[in-house]
């Protein structure tokens, strides 16, 4: 949804000293991989400095029905198409969104591949993508929270 943009000068006021891209903004993130989903709340915040974007996502999901497809979390930008700069995100807080116990799903990482507009949760033990039907939320749990934070390059 855009945000605040300004020029910043580092070490002088000449054009060579200008940081040309600083932006703060919000977007409404969505979850893919569910046949149906109903949110209580969903927020996304980002800060873009040059080509680095730091973001945080907040989901409070009332209920969902899992689908046999990859979970995706929409991002504020499409990532740079640059092999070797494929960053990701981590879980800040979850109350049994992926799994009801300590497991490879509840401790997953989030991969942002090259030229992606979304992050995908991956099981830590074998890197397999987590499906909506494979989550505690997608199997009938209600009122689940998922908060993630990460960095990407655009």
């Amino acid at each position: 949804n855009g945000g605040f943009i300004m020029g910043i000068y580092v070490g002088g006021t000449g054009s060579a000293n200008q940081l040309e891209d600083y932006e703060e903004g919000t977007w409404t993130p969505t979850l893919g991989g569910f046949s149906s989903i109903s949110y209580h709340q969903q927020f996304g915040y980002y800060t873009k400095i040059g080509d680095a974007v730091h973001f945080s996502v907040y989901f409070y999901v009332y209920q969902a029905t899992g689908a046999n497809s990859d979970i995706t979390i929409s991002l504020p930008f499409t990532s740079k198409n640059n092999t070797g700069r494929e960053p990701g995100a981590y879980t800040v807080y979850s109350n049994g969104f992926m799994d009801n116990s300590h497991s490879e799903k509840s401790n997953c990482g989030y991969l942002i591949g090259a030229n992606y507009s979304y992050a995908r949760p991956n099981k830590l033990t074998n890197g397999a993508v987590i499906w909506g039907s494979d989550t505690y939320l997608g199997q009938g749990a209600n009122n689940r929270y998922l908060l993630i934070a990460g960095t990407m390059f655009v």
Side-chain angles (χ1 to χ4, degrees):
N1 291 345
F4 176 67
I5 302 173
M6 64 183 247
I8 297 173
Y9 293 86
V10 180
T13 58
S15 62
N17 300 88
Q18 183 180 14
L19 174 62
E20 296 176 0
D21 192 7
Y22 178 89
E23 180 179 340
E24 296 177 357
T26 63
W27 87 103
T28 302
T30 57
L31 284 161
F34 296 93
S35 302
S36 67
I37 191 162
S38 176
Y39 302 95
H40 282 298
Q41 295 176 316
Q42 58 199 115
F43 303 111
Y45 302 93
Y46 69 86
T47 301
K48 182 176 183 290
I49 304 170
D51 71 347
V53 177
H54 307 283
F55 64 88
S56 62
V57 176
Y58 173 99
F59 289 114
Y60 178 21
V61 179
Y62 172 62
Q63 62 185 12
T65 302
N68 290 331
S69 59
D70 300 354
I71 291 179
T72 58
I73 299 168
S74 66
L75 296 170
F77 301 98
T78 298
S79 64
K80 187 174 272 189
N81 192 7
N82 186 351
T83 303
R85 287 187 94 185
E86 299 172 3
Y90 61 92
T91 300
V92 175
Y93 174 78
S94 171
N95 68 335
F97 188 97
M98 298 292 180
D99 201 345
N100 196 23
S101 62
H102 181 74
S103 73
E104 64 183 359
K105 290 184 287 186
S106 62
N107 294 307
C108 68
Y110 300 83
L111 173 66
I112 302 169
N115 202 31
Y116 277 38
S117 60
Y118 55 87
R120 296 183 311 168
N122 293 71
K123 298 176 185 176
L124 288 185
T125 56
N126 63 11
V129 177
I130 300 173
W131 287 4
S133 59
D134 193 32
T135 65
Y136 191 54
L137 175 68
Q139 295 171 3
N142 292 334
N143 299 312
R144 301 289 104 184
Y145 290 92
L146 178 63
L147 285 67
I148 69 168
T151 299
M152 63 188 293
F153 298 97
V154 298

